[in-house]
Amino acid sequence: MKLFLDTANLEQIKQGVKWGVSGVTTNPTLVAAEGVGDYKTLVRAICDIVPGEVSAEVTVEGAAAMIAQGREIAAWHDNVVVKVPCTPDGFEVASQLGNDGIKVNMTLCFSASQALLAALCGAYFISPFMGRLDDIGQDGLDLLAEIVDIYDKGSLETRVLAASVRHPGHVLQAASLGAYAATIPFKVLEQLARHPLTDSGNARFLADWHGRAAKKA
């Protein structure tokens, strides 16, 4: 399974690539949080850092406007995947952009029926939001498992991108279920990289080594 970062922060992305991250997902909220006025410039900068797909979301409503903006966004860089919501307009947009040869990430997926429609519309990614389902008392991993199973049994080519990840357990369970990738906040990436026993063990090893060197001196 691949790891993507769910951020628009360039410094986080640079560090993430050093730790094995191969793609990025953004959304209007994440981009706005960076205080960057030029969406296009920021997305291109991200694409220059990561080796894989970068999802950039449409910011308009209505199928016609979304299709037009989606075509514009897709032209920003070869690695861009156009992100559209799992709405009736979104499915129409995904179908049209797919016919144009443009990769689409269908986001805000909360049901297997939405995931099936996304695949039939030719979406490149489907992004089930696990954490947000957990927040309302449903099990987001159950949805992820159901989507993976439907896609496998139907030989559907849409890739499952586990989204709204809250903790490292989500990441590992997504991997065990066969998700193509998980897109995670930087804090979850840090949690994946660290363990207190690793830190304490490494500190002990180094202390013992330096103590040995001091005795020799």
Side-chain angles (χ1 to χ4, degrees), residues 6-7 60 153 176:
D6 195 31
T7 185
V60 295
K153 288 179 177 175
S176 70

Side-chain angles (χ1 to χ4, degrees), residues 7-8 10 13 24-27 31 36 38-50 52-57 72-82:
T7 185
L10 297 180
I13 293 167
V24 167
T25 57
T26 69
N27 60 48
V31 172
V36 177
D38 190 348
Y39 190 17
K40 178 179 179 180
T41 298
L42 179 59
V43 170
R44 282 182 163 177
I46 294 171
C47 289
D48 288 339
I49 298 170
V50 298
E53 296 94 346
V54 175
S55 291
E57 192 163 346
E72 178 186 350
I73 291 172
W76 291 350
H77 195 281
D78 289 342
N79 288 358
V80 166
V81 178
V82 178

